[in-house]
Amino acid sequence: MLASDVLVAQNVGFAIIAAIMVIGALRVVTTKNVVHAALWLVVVLAGAAAQYILLAAEFLAVTQVMVYIGAVMVLFLFGTMLTRAQIGAEKNLNNKNAIIGLPIAVLLLATMLIALNDGFKAEKLPADTPLVTTQQVSDQIFGIYLLPFWALSFVLLAAAIGAIVLARRD
Amino acid sequence: MLLNQFLMLGAVLFCIGVYGVIVRKNAVLVLMSIELILNSVNINLLAFSLRNGSPDGHTFALYVIAVAAAEVGVGLAMVLLMYRNRRSVGLDDLSEMKG
Amino acid sequence: MFSASTEAAEVILKSGWFLENAFIIPIIPAVAFFLIIFFGKKMPMKGSEFGILSMFAALAMSLGAAYQWIQRVNGVSEETYVKPIIRSWTWWQNDGVSLGIGQHIDGLSITILVVVAFISSLVQIYSTEYLHGDRRYTHFFASLTLFSAGMLNMVVAENMIQLILGWELMGLCSFMLIGHWWEEGANSRAALKAFFTTRTGDIGLLVGTSVLFFAANDWTQKTLGVSGFSIRGLSAWALSGDPSSAAITVGAVALFIACIGKSGQFPLHTWLPDAMAGPTPVSSLLHSSTMVVAGVFLVARLYPVFYEGMNIYGNSVNFIVLIGGVTIVIAAALAFVQTDIKKVLAYSTVSQLGYMMMGLGAGAWLPAVFHIFTHAFFKACLFLGAGSISHSASHHSFDMKKDMGGLRKFMPITFSTWIVSTLALCGVFPFSGFFSKDEIIDNVGYAGYNFFMIVGLFGAFLTAAYMTRATYLTFFGEPRGAAAGEHHDDEHDAHASHDDHGHDAHGHDAHAHDSHAAHDAHDDHASHGPRESGLIITVPLILLATLALGSGFLNAPAFGEKWENLKKWVEPRAEVVSVTGIAKPAGAHGETRLAAGSTDTTVPSEETASPEEVVADGTTYSTEDTVADDSELRTTAVDDSHSEATDSGSHSKAEAGKDGGHHYSDCGTKTPVGGVCYAPQLKHAPFKWWKAGMSVGIVFLGMILSWLLCVQLYTRKNKKLVGLTERNKVLGAGYSFLANKYYLDTLYEKIIVRSIAHPISRGAYWFNQNVLDGIVNGAGTSTRKTAGWVYRNVDQKLVDGAVNGAGTSAENAGGALQPVQSGKVNQYGALLFGAAAIGALVLVIINF
């Protein structure tokens, strides 16, 4: 297979996954069913994992699947079920802010697209640079970014304790 | 592949997430929208990481995932608490902070 | 007069284990804190044993260190700079910036270490009885121990970061301790107030530290190889002629703001009296020797920085002196309108801290430090005495007018220790306060601040007067309220005779009431009369009173020079110390400190010569040119001084023939050549008996006047209260006859006290409570009330305009923005992202 073929395949793959992701994301914010929203979110997150692989970040992709789809989504589903017995469609999921929400989102999108188009135009991602290995990432985490790592560990600890304290029934 | 295709995908997801945050009433759905926003940021980080050939973006994407997990944990605990106290997860009902 | 070169001097400096390992002192209570937290509740004494033992260990180590330090100082001649024992370990390093932790032990830290460890030990012992049965007994001891650890850490700190660590630790613990009984709203409010007020000042600490770091780091790294946080580095830098006057002034002012907050100086002193809401041992510890002297300690510690930054010994009044002087008078005036005995002591503390600050500002470094030392003893004794009274005699009341009086008969030990400490506080001759306070006043005058010397004397007069009033109300006259054994709702009849029986009957037996569940359980007391407290309370009192009496002799210039021990041991000697590997002669900068009004000027070129040149031609240079103004002192001090460059070129000294052969060096006056100074040369006022006599006379005048007034006022009132007139017609007639005789006193009270003292005191109190609190707590409704009051008083118009305007505009702005605060999260999100979108759009447009 030629290198250009690979690139074409990648581009096609990207387009398909991106389309699925955008549709999924739109469904997440428009669906009338909370459980459906959660399932659409799974689609978006899985798509994101696929995009990570396209971006040569396998480790991140695996982490994404494990953490998001494996843990966070379960949390969401539990949260949904614990708070709302109703699984089916329901009304009243949206508030009256749609009038301001839509313009703001469109304005933000337009601004970003203009800025991106202006900033990077048709810049290509390099196809020949050495890929980032997981070893490099771990060297960084336990090397120069050790302090943020510690901070993050405390954040997680605090979050775990906080979640328990908040959700505890007493 | 263009750099911009990833960045623009990120931008689109981000704005959809913003729309969700503003429009959704159910607290769980708002949290989901926030996840969308965080993921779009991750896509950006990784795209730039590939472009610059540096592992920094990977590291921070990992950190973002970890923070997002913590945020969801606490956020859902709060939703649970809210539901327990007022039998509703509608954010519109929470307006005690009204000035 | 030229000592051997400093290198040689360093070799012969003695040291010892305690000095080398003084950093362990704060670690002991810190470890004890964790022991108390984790195991305290399971221990037989509920954790207090850890605290007490740790404080004893710290005290023992401090005393050991003090002994070895004295050995070290005595081993060298009077002029040699005694190197502090500095140890430092790096715990964080990044890109050339490294943070260390360690110790900086010199005379100052040793002095404060001993005081803190001693007072903390006594307070902890005292607390075992005072808080017996308290529901958070263990936590109390944990906080107390951690508090001491913080203070000790601050004292031994090697650098500013470590100092801030101790400083903040104290802030946190003071919050926990003041709010110990947080169930009462007032207590937790007081704790919050103390915390926030000191935090307000602490901003200055952070700002000042950063400013000084960035200004000094290059110099200290190059010259001394230490970071710009190090206290030693900062001291040397301040006197090196390197700092720009702006940087050091900003740094010093910022740091001093922190000191204002922590040491309760005007205008941030409002937290201190409120902090009396905490348990009495806490007040005693916080407000005698630890927390509030932290600010004074910081000024003393970084004295060279303040010396240069504030232009001490300059011609104009500097910030420190001004704040100190204002604080003395304002606080002393407030002490007159208090009926709460602890509040009297609190204002007295504020006032005494004003003395210390004023002394430091006027260059009286040693007297100020000495005053920290003596004040710690007598003020701790007074606070603990007040605690003893409330604990054993007045059912936990601190109200002098309602619940005390005549206690001298029932509490002889408390009474006598109180009297000793009061005399010490007032500054009566053989007591410790005399030696320190009088020296401050003396030196302030000697430094040329005549007005502030009068302020100091006036403060001494007020001190004597309000302490006499407090003493009278508490210990003399007839017992009132709880002190008379009555509960507030008791009937009035036949108290006098009946209660005396009561006291005799169960005055001194160990009562079951000792084990009451502190504080919350007032009513368990039933109606026993006042009695002396137990040994656990009286022994610390006696120890403290002994020291209040005797500690003054450590530095008693009144008896000649060989009594000035503290000066020898504690005051850093101003000597140019050579630095091996000094990068460049500091003379290149050629700046001298000048009297205020003019900024630094360049010294004529022959002085800026590098050491090599000095050696080459053997020039002797004089220092006359530094005197540009007519400052009398400066001239006398410098006139007959001459400095010579020694043949090594690395060591230059100057000596003044004046001051009874006192050593004199150029440090602080001009740029050190070929070395660095760690301390400025300080001046000492010669002791004069007539001055001392005058101030003691003023004190006695204050006491006598106050006594006479008290007798007339309170005794008469008391009789009316007891209600003799209703019971007995004859007595009633006699009483009204007597009362007629006292019309004069009514006149005094109504006209003199009411019209002069009360409005001033009340006005000051009002100003204190409303305006200052208002400003500190922020604008809002209180500001509006303030504005309303001021509105009616035309003379305050200026203040009113600003305050009122701020209040109204804040309210208007708030009203306009009200709809935005809908309380709806989504709407906030919309605002956030909308603003971000608009901001991004603006950026995009600008960049196109």
Side-chain angles (χ1 to χ4, degrees):
Chain A
M1 212 192 280
L2 290 170
S4 58
D5 295 339
V6 175
L7 285 178
V8 169
Q10 279 182 350
N11 278 332
V12 171
F14 170 83
I16 294 170
I17 300 165
I20 294 173
M21 281 174 78
V22 172
I23 292 169
L26 283 173
R27 293 300 291 150
V28 169
V29 296
T30 51
T31 180
K32 295 237 176 298
N33 185 324
V34 182
V35 177
H36 286 184
L39 295 176
W40 279 114
L41 186 60
V42 173
V43 171
V44 180
L45 296 176
Q51 299 288 16
Y52 292 172
I53 290 180
L54 275 182
L55 286 165
E58 330 75 37
F59 181 66
L60 256 289
V62 173
T63 315
Q64 169 93 356
V65 171
M66 290 202 300
V67 175
Y68 268 111
I69 304 174
V72 172
M73 285 324 299
V74 173
L75 259 184
F76 269 121
L77 289 174
F78 266 114
T80 313
M81 289 167 189
L82 283 174
T83 53
R84 276 266 152 119
Q86 195 179 350
I87 300 288
E90 50 188 301
K91 292 175 195 114
N92 246 345
L93 277 179
N94 289 357
N95 55 25
K96 297 175 211 92
N97 287 337
I99 308 155
I100 42 173
L102 202 56
I104 286 174
V106 170
L107 175 66
L108 207 52
L109 183 63
T111 317
M112 283 202 275
L113 290 183
I114 293 169
L116 287 176
N117 193 37
D118 186 52
F120 299 105
K121 291 201 175 67
E123 186 177 328
K124 281 197 164 79
L125 282 171
D128 50 352
T129 47
L131 297 178
V132 173
T133 61
T134 309
Q135 190 192 349
Q136 274 176 295
V137 177
S138 75
D139 280 349
Q140 282 215 314
I141 292 178
F142 298 106
I144 53 170
Y145 294 120
L146 185 59
L147 203 61
F149 180 71
W150 283 348
L152 192 64
S153 313
F154 276 108
V155 168
L156 280 172
L157 178 67
I161 296 172
I164 292 168
V165 170
L166 283 176
R168 194 174 55 160
R169 206 183 283 266
D170 56 3
Chain B
M1 288 188 296
L2 299 179
L3 172 64
N4 247 346
Q5 66 194 50
F6 288 99
L7 300 187
M8 284 182 176
L9 173 65
V12 171
L13 287 181
F14 185 90
C15 293
I16 295 173
V18 166
Y19 174 79
V21 167
I22 297 173
V23 167
R24 289 304 212 180
K25 197 152 100 181
N26 186 316
V28 178
L29 288 173
V30 170
L31 282 177
M32 288 186 196
S33 306
I34 292 174
E35 292 306 312
L36 279 182
I37 294 179
L38 290 171
N39 264 282
S40 73
V41 171
N42 269 358
I43 291 177
N44 272 20
L45 281 173
L46 289 177
F48 278 114
S49 179
L50 185 62
R51 178 208 183 211
N52 298 337
S54 118
D56 286 6
H58 288 242
T59 316
F60 278 96
L62 272 175
Y63 287 174
V64 169
I65 290 179
V67 170
E71 171 250 321
V72 169
V74 176
L76 284 174
M78 283 162 69
V79 171
L80 216 61
L81 194 67
M82 180 178 151
Y83 180 72
R84 201 181 297 150
N85 286 338
R86 44 178 80 227
R87 294 279 135 201
S88 145
V89 286
L91 289 175
D92 284 5
D93 303 334
L94 285 180
S95 54
E96 279 86 2
M97 294 291 280
K98 184 168 162 40
Chain C
M1 210 54 190
F2 306 116
S3 63
S5 87
T6 339
E7 309 295 342
E10 275 170 26
V11 175
I12 58 160
L13 277 176
K14 285 186 197 160
S15 187
W17 187 86
F18 287 113
L19 279 181
E20 295 292 336
N21 295 293
F23 66 90
I24 298 176
I25 296 175
I27 296 178
I28 301 170
V31 170
F33 163 73
F34 286 105
L35 288 177
I36 297 173
I37 284 287
F38 289 121
F39 307 112
K41 290 208 166 154
K42 296 178 195 127
M43 298 302 287
M45 284 168 72
K46 300 268 182 264
S48 59
E49 60 267 73
F50 288 128
I52 294 172
L53 284 178
S54 72
M55 289 327 299
F56 274 141
L59 178 61
M61 281 204 68
S62 310
L63 288 174
Y67 176 74
Q68 288 175 349
W69 176 261
I70 292 170
Q71 296 291 308
R72 183 180 170 92
V73 174
N74 283 343
V76 296
S77 70
E78 287 266 334
E79 295 79 32
T80 320
Y81 171 72
V82 183
K83 223 170 140 242
I85 294 99
I86 296 173
R87 300 180 77 181
S88 177
W89 294 272
T90 303
W91 61 272
W92 193 78
Q93 200 168 19
N94 188 13
D95 201 21
V97 180
S98 66
L99 301 181
I101 191 155
Q103 61 169 40
H104 177 118
I105 300 295
D106 58 2
L108 173 65
S109 24
I110 297 261
T111 314
I112 312 289
L113 275 182
V114 171
V115 170
V116 172
F118 181 70
I119 305 273
S120 303
S121 311
L122 290 189
V123 165
Q124 293 222 348
I125 294 172
Y126 181 97
S127 307
T128 57
E129 163 74 17
Y130 192 85
L131 275 104
H132 193 85
D134 189 87
R135 81 178 64 140
R136 282 187 293 278
Y137 186 79
T138 308
H139 289 160
F140 178 80
F141 273 91
S143 316
L144 210 57
T145 313
L146 187 62
F147 181 87
S148 301
M151 181 73 190
L152 293 170
N153 175 47
M154 196 196 94
V155 173
V156 302
E158 186 265 339
N159 58 49
M160 288 305 288
I161 303 294
Q162 195 183 352
L163 191 142
I164 291 174
L165 172 72
W167 180 287
E168 301 292 2
L169 212 53
M170 267 194 286
L172 174 68
C173 293
S174 69
F175 171 73
M176 297 195 286
L177 289 170
I178 293 168
H180 181 67
W181 290 318
W182 46 261
E183 285 88 350
E184 273 171 47
N187 293 351
S188 69
R189 272 198 301 281
L192 275 176
K193 185 173 173 184
F195 192 62
F196 286 138
T197 315
T198 52
R199 296 294 320 177
T200 311
D202 289 353
I203 296 166
L205 185 63
L206 298 181
V207 171
T209 305
S210 330
V211 167
L212 291 178
F213 172 76
F214 286 112
N217 194 33
D218 285 346
W219 188 90
T220 54
Q221 292 285 8
K222 210 159 44 180
T223 314
L224 299 169
V226 295
S227 91
F229 286 122
S230 122
I231 285 165
R232 168 161 154 263
L234 282 175
S235 307
W237 169 76
L239 295 170
S240 70
D242 175 74
S244 75
S245 66
I248 197 163
T249 305
V250 170
V253 170
L255 287 183
F256 188 63
I257 288 170
C259 301
I260 288 176
K262 203 73 161 182
S263 283
Q265 298 292 295
F266 178 83
L268 292 180
H269 63 279
T270 51
W271 67 270
L272 217 152
D274 285 24
M276 292 301 132
T280 308
V282 172
S283 314
S284 172
L285 182 62
L286 262 64
H287 303 126
S288 69
S289 63
T290 49
M291 171 118 166
V292 295
V293 303
V296 184
F297 173 79
L298 177 61
V299 178
R301 170 99 289 184
L302 283 177
Y303 200 57
V305 173
F306 291 93
Y307 181 88
E308 292 290 333
M310 300 283 190
N311 203 9
I312 287 167
Y313 287 148
N315 251 3
S316 63
V317 171
N318 69 52
F319 192 39
I320 304 183
V321 172
L322 181 69
I323 293 286
V326 169
T327 308
I328 294 174
V329 175
I330 285 211
L334 289 171
F336 280 102
V337 287
Q338 307 300 325
T339 55
D340 183 325
I341 186 167
K342 274 170 81 183
K343 288 211 169 169
V344 173
L345 296 177
Y347 281 115
S348 154
T349 301
V350 174
S351 168
Q352 297 304 308
L353 290 165
Y355 274 107
M356 298 175 200
M357 281 298 183
M358 190 171 85
L360 286 171
W365 187 90
L366 183 70
V369 173
F370 189 37
H371 200 51
I372 297 180
F373 186 70
T374 56
H375 175 257
F377 297 128
F378 56 71
K379 189 51 67 64
C381 184
L382 288 172
F383 270 119
L384 293 182
S388 165
I389 293 162
S390 98
H391 187 67
S392 305
S394 62
H395 298 311
H396 300 292
S397 162
F398 288 101
D399 196 319
M400 296 188 293
K401 275 196 173 161
K402 271 203 207 119
D403 290 325
M404 293 182 191
L407 290 172
R408 70 181 190 284
K409 281 173 254 163
F410 311 118
M411 314 185 81
I413 299 174
T414 307
F415 172 64
S416 42
T417 55
W418 174 281
I419 289 293
V420 168
S421 306
T422 302
L423 291 176
L425 171 60
C426 298
V428 175
F429 166 59
F431 297 92
S432 59
F434 165 78
F435 294 105
S436 49
K437 186 149 83 176
D438 197 52
E439 234 181 305
I440 289 179
I441 296 173
D442 229 15
N443 273 294
V444 168
Y446 186 69
Y449 298 108
N450 285 322
F451 174 72
F452 283 96
M453 185 176 78
I454 294 165
V455 166
L457 288 171
F458 182 55
F461 173 80
L462 292 178
T463 309
Y466 67 70
M467 282 314 292
T468 308
R469 171 178 173 271
T471 309
Y472 183 86
L473 279 173
T474 313
F475 290 105
F476 293 90
E478 283 185 25
R480 297 173 295 271
E486 103 191 17
H487 256 244
H488 296 288
D489 47 346
D490 279 359
E491 72 286 351
H492 282 224
D493 290 351
H495 256 302
S497 60
H498 171 78
D499 266 337
D500 281 343
H501 282 289
H503 306 316
D504 293 337
H506 53 128
H508 288 277
D509 54 351
H511 233 260
H513 304 133
D514 280 352
S515 58
H516 62 92
H519 192 70
D520 324 76
H522 303 208
D523 297 336
D524 289 356
H525 274 260
S527 57
H528 69 69
R531 61 196 151 72
E532 184 55 272
S533 307
L535 276 180
I536 293 177
I537 285 180
T538 50
V539 168
L541 285 178
I542 293 167
L543 280 174
L544 286 169
T546 315
L547 281 165
L549 176 60
S551 61
F553 293 96
L554 269 180
N555 196 45
F559 305 125
E561 232 183 288
K562 65 172 184 296
W563 284 85
E564 296 185 56
N565 282 323
L566 217 60
K567 182 182 165 198
K568 190 165 138 204
W569 295 334
V570 172
E571 189 171 281
R573 281 84 186 268
E575 189 196 31
V576 182
V577 182
S578 77
V579 176
T580 40
I582 185 161
K584 61 181 167 63
H589 277 267
E591 287 178 342
T592 53
R593 228 181 60 76
L594 257 200
S598 61
T599 49
D600 297 346
T601 56
T602 313
V603 182
S605 59
E606 69 264 24
E607 286 198 26
T608 64
S610 66
E612 291 78 27
E613 285 169 312
V614 176
V615 178
D617 55 15
T619 318
T620 319
Y621 52 81
S622 74
T623 59
E624 257 83 4
D625 62 297
T626 55
V627 181
D629 330 57
D630 54 348
S631 164
E632 188 193 332
L633 284 163
R634 184 167 279 284
T635 320
T636 55
V638 175
D639 253 348
D640 47 0
S641 72
H642 61 281
S643 40
E644 295 167 7
T646 57
D647 50 359
S648 72
S650 66
H651 190 76
S652 75
K653 294 181 64 159
E655 185 208 350
K658 281 186 86 76
D659 276 5
H662 278 178
H663 168 64
Y664 185 83
S665 93
D666 282 334
C667 282
T669 326
K670 58 203 292 306
T671 307
V673 178
V676 293
C677 288
Y678 290 113
Q681 177 64 39
L682 300 169
K683 288 180 279 208
H684 294 277
F687 185 82
K688 295 261 172 25
W689 278 106
W690 66 267
K691 279 192 196 161
M694 185 177 73
S695 65
V696 173
I698 286 172
V699 166
F700 276 123
L701 188 69
M703 284 183 177
I704 290 165
L705 282 179
S706 170
W707 179 267
L708 291 176
L709 211 61
C710 285
V711 169
Q712 305 294 3
L713 277 176
Y714 301 119
T715 311
R716 181 182 61 74
K717 265 193 183 171
N718 214 7
K719 278 186 180 147
K720 211 156 69 182
L721 265 178
V722 174
L724 279 171
T725 44
E726 283 93 340
R727 273 184 284 123
N728 193 315
K729 286 248 160 60
V730 184
L731 267 180
Y735 174 75
S736 54
F737 176 69
L738 282 171
N740 278 348
K741 224 174 128 191
Y742 284 141
Y743 279 149
L744 196 63
D745 308 319
T746 322
L747 191 79
Y748 282 151
E749 196 199 358
K750 284 266 159 57
I751 297 195
I752 297 174
V753 181
R754 283 265 160 77
S755 69
I756 300 171
H758 277 215
I760 294 175
S761 305
R762 285 200 194 286
Y765 188 67
W766 177 90
F767 187 72
N768 189 38
Q769 290 292 323
N770 296 322
V771 177
L772 297 180
D773 281 11
I775 291 167
V776 172
N777 295 341
T781 43
S782 73
T783 333
R784 276 190 58 197
K785 244 193 279 173
T786 311
W789 188 91
V790 179
Y791 198 65
R792 272 174 265 127
N793 296 271
V794 185
D795 55 335
Q796 300 268 326
K797 223 173 190 173
L798 205 95
V799 181
D800 177 42
V803 173
N804 202 8
T808 332
S809 62
E811 198 183 318
N812 287 344
L817 287 171
Q818 199 183 19
V820 178
Q821 299 292 330
S822 61
K824 298 214 167 76
V825 188
N826 300 95
Q827 223 165 80
Y828 293 164
L831 283 172
L832 169 70
F833 286 114
I838 291 167
L841 194 62
V842 169
L843 278 181
V844 167
I845 290 169
I846 288 173
N847 282 327
F848 261 119

